Amino acid sequence: MSIAILKAPSVSVASVDVARTLRMGLLLGGVGVYLAAVGILAMFNERWIIVGLLTLGYGVLGLVYLVAGMISARRGAGLMTALASGILSGAIAGLTVSVLGLVIGPFSLQSVFTQLNGKLADSLALGLAPLSGLLVMLGIGAVCGAIGAILRFTPLTVRRPLVIAALVTVTAGLFQELIQIMLQDGPLTPVQDLIYEWEGLTAQGAAIVFVVAFILALIGVQISRRRARAAAAKANADSGQSLTKMGMIFLVLVLLPLMGGNYIGQVLLLVGLYILMGMGLNLEVGLAGLLDLGFVGFFAVGAYVTALLTANHPMAILHLNFWVAMPIAVLASVVVGVLFGIPVLGVRGDYLAVATMGLGEIVRVLVVSDAAKPLLGGPLGITQVPKPAIFGYGLTTPIQLYYLTLVASLVAGLIAWRLEGSRLGRAWMALRDDEDVAAALGIDRIECKLLAYGLGAAFAGLAGSIFAVMLASVYPSSFQLVVSINVLALIIVGGMGSLPGVAIGSLVLIGLPELLREFGEYRYLFYGVALIFMMQFRPEGLMPSKVRKRELHAAMGETSEPAVPTARAA
Amino acid sequence: MAVQIPEDRLKIARLSRISIVDVLLWALRIGVLGVVIAGTIGTLINGRYGWTQWVDFVVFGLTLGSIYAQIALGYTMVYGVLRLINFAHGDFMMSGAFSAFFVANAFYRSGFLESHPVPALLCILITSMIVSTAVALLAERFAYRPFRRVVGLAPLICAIGVSFFLQQTFRGMFGSSIRAYPDPSWQRATISFLGIEVQAVELLVIGLAVLFMIGLYLIVQYTKMGKAMRAVAEDGDAAALMGIDVDKVVVFTFMLGGAMAGIAGVFYCFVYKQVYFYMGFTPGIKAFGAAVLGGIGSIPGAVLGGFFLGLVESVGPALFLDGLGIPGPYQLRDVIAFTLLIMVLIFRPNGILGERLGKKRA
């Protein structure tokens, strides 16, 4: 290794691996074409990051070129070579995208691909004449590719703050409406005037945000590195860290709706419900390894039981108080969970996923069908579910219901957290890792699995119960298979078997698309990509549980050394 | 130091092993069987359906079965080679159906579809096969290949991701509306035979399906690549040691599976006369059930399972449910199919023709 560093890097541009560079450029150019064909580009072009200068669409295209440059620049080859290949592949990617713009009109692609219209062609030519547009696009590609290549050569201590600063700037631009509302009419109004105008960030505002974020991130990275080193010296000192993380997350969750108003409250309410469900599915998938795709069924049971017991609707059986109905709904979910679990007890692994999905679909079709209409109201559902009240104080607004959800998820989280370390939790993990060995060690498989289904269902039932009062009605269309997939996606993105991961995953996958309403159409596309990428590159999730991380990385044969030494090599 | 356990203790232990769970499972079997028998008797006593109608149901069932069988073949081959449930397989079919729709639509507008059914049909089939194969190969290359040596849930979850990705891609590119597949006069023709009217398209679908299945069988059984495929399905490591390029075999398997899915897509267009981005999901899951029913990994099994599932789904609502006086039995077609799927997964995961796979999985 040391010899390789001592050897003088070859600076000749001729050593660029042309075939590979071309391939990367074309590949990323293909990504750009894909974004255009699916319609993401056109939609993103509607949104300014920096007013008059950069739309989200062009930002994403630039990112694509940058990635092209980044992956085709190889560290081993030396800076100049890398720079050359970065420029080349960025330019190729740019060329690919602008060629698409040129062929849209002549080949009348719009007759098949609805998104490829004249407006898109114009925006791909940057509003210029075709040829000059192509040249400018080529230039942009080359520049972004070069930046990507250079980024690869910057040490991690600088690169990370740069990335963070860029992300913060984009966030500030995207959520401008929200942030402006928060800043308005407070002591921070001057800040608002400084960086924002009507539609988004101003150019100077973007620069200010970027620089401030960069400096803060630089300091932050230094501090965390120092702390990591200190922690490495004192073995295993980070046991308190996950608690602090969780505490911070919950602090944000408590304060956010107070600052953001009803809309934020509504979004967070949904996030909270998914956190509840995520914690439930986490017991099944994350701890016990039972991949359950019929999970939405338990959610539906919670909602329907609540509605049937409380609603002012001819279909309702009783007219109970919410606080009486909720425990009954949870209990009913548990019972259904166990009943659901019994037939599939002997089914393992991937077959289990399909079997549970089939069960979920059966329930859904039955609920919609005429056969169950006299009981459950068919496709029209049950309406007029009353809102709950505490001591005569009604919980009617989304924010009030959100706090109900928050309390529920805190309690549920506490239970889940205690379960994780308990005898039962360890038995689940043993089952997950090897069922036969676990059984040989005396773990009662039937009991453990049924407890996983039942307890997981309890969480979902609770979420369903609150969901029913949130909408004040229940329709079968709310309980599609997608809900199960959503919950699965969020615990995978967050980190299987990790409670803070569930919160993060839910915020990212449920909260963000709700806030970026107009992108909501593409959220499932994003979920699909997220599932594929997470499984390939970061199977432990964004915020993994410690055990899981250790296991996965041990399995991949990586050393547990921290990332510090890489910076020294540069 | 072996511990002696008294014989009667052992007996009690064994008895308590026959737990509530087993009892409940038996109750489930008997319950489903009871519903089927009671429903059948009820329907037959009722005599609401004449025998021409039953023939109709059977022909439609075989048509559906051809679609399921065609998709199930892809599932079974991929599972045989990779031990992966390719969740996105139904979406390969969807991509084929979409391309079939575009070609057919263009032909229909120019009148070619009406005047020259055979060459038009050939073009449609070939386009659909090519597109499905391309999608399958892309999915293999970018999504599944990194998981070659990974066991556990990760590949399956990735496959779910691919399925979502494909659905949403098509939704983004072509919109979320349901599009009507063109319906030229020859698709509406009927053939009468012994007083029974059968749709010509249904016969066409069944006939073509049988033709393609025979073709596939010949490829797998008699070409060198087919032989390699079977070897990899039998034991991938040993096959690699014998000098078989496993990567190539996997690619070939996805190609065959994709092509079959493309054909299924065209059939789907003929039968349901519509395309939409979500169309692949339910047939995909059902076809997986069919593959398991026939014994996953077995090609004749997939065909058998597919036809069986199609028949049950088509005849079932009238035969089992109508007799019980359930309103709207045809809405519950999917319930019958999924119940069959679950019963198979629970009680006979080896399938009808499956042999050794039972214990290896998980």
Side-chain angles (χ1 to χ4, degrees), chain A residues 34 38 114-115 370 481 536, chain B residues 142-143 165 169 172-173 281 331:
Chain A
Y34 172 83
V38 175
T114 40
Q115 307 283 356
D370 287 347
L481 175 84
Q536 286 191 0
Chain B
F142 290 104
F165 175 75
T169 299
M173 289 202 286
F281 174 74
Q331 294 172 333

Side-chain angles (χ1 to χ4, degrees), chain B residues 96-145:
Chain B
F98 256 97
S99 48
F101 162 78
F102 283 115
V103 176
N105 213 19
F107 283 166
Y108 188 61
R109 277 207 208 113
S110 69
F112 186 66
L113 190 63
E114 191 72 64
S115 56
H116 297 84
V118 175
L121 183 59
L122 266 179
C123 282
I124 292 170
L125 268 175
I126 289 170
T127 321
S128 173
M129 279 163 82
I130 288 175
V131 171
S132 283
T133 308
V135 171
L137 289 183
L138 282 175
E140 193 275 326
R141 176 67 193 82
F142 290 104
Y144 298 143
R145 195 169 290 180

Side-chain angles (χ1 to χ4, degrees), chain A residues 304 315 361-381 475-477, chain B residues 321 326-336:
Chain A
Y304 265 100
M315 218 69 82
E361 283 292 285
I362 289 178
V363 172
R364 190 183 62 79
V365 177
L366 278 179
V367 171
V368 189
S369 73
D370 287 347
K373 201 170 181 180
L375 277 177
L376 303 172
L380 295 176
Y475 308 107
S477 59
Chain B
L321 298 182
I326 292 172
Y330 294 99
Q331 294 172 333
L332 301 183
R333 242 177 57 190
D334 285 359
V335 172
I336 293 180

Side-chain angles (χ1 to χ4, degrees), chain A residues 532-546:
Chain A
I532 299 170
F533 269 74
M534 292 306 281
M535 282 298 113
Q536 286 191 0
F537 299 112
R538 206 178 153 90
E540 75 268 29
L542 291 178
M543 226 183 218
S545 67
K546 245 187 302 169

Side-chain angles (χ1 to χ4, degrees), chain A residues 415-507:
Chain A
I415 295 172
W417 181 55
R418 296 298 298 157
L419 271 174
E420 229 179 86
S422 71
R423 189 183 170 80
L424 181 60
R426 281 174 285 137
W428 279 338
M429 286 188 245
L431 271 185
R432 176 190 71 197
D433 293 339
D434 193 321
E435 200 173 321
D436 296 322
V437 173
L441 289 173
I443 290 172
D444 187 342
R445 281 187 287 183
I446 295 176
E447 188 189 309
C448 275
K449 282 188 174 181
L450 289 185
L451 274 171
Y453 285 117
L455 289 170
F459 286 64
L462 181 58
S465 191
I466 300 175
F467 183 74
V469 290
M470 176 187 108
L471 283 188
S473 50
V474 284
Y475 308 107
S477 59
S478 315
F479 308 106
Q480 309 267 7
L481 175 84
V482 214
V483 178
S484 301
I485 306 269
N486 285 352
V487 181
L488 179 70
L490 80 88
I491 65 173
I492 281 163
V493 168
M496 268 205 243
S498 137
L499 284 176
V502 171
I504 289 291
S506 183
L507 275 174

Side-chain angles (χ1 to χ4, degrees), chain A residues 300-322:
Chain A
V301 169
Y304 265 100
V305 169
T306 309
L308 285 174
L309 291 181
T310 62
N312 303 316
H313 189 266
M315 218 69 82
I317 319 167
L318 290 170
H319 302 285
L320 295 175
N321 188 331
F322 172 75

Side-chain angles (χ1 to χ4, degrees), chain B residues 191-206:
Chain B
I191 296 172
S192 8
F193 178 73
L194 292 178
I196 307 159
E197 290 231 322
V198 181
Q199 293 221 319
V201 163
E202 292 184 339
L203 294 184
L204 178 74
V205 165
I206 298 170

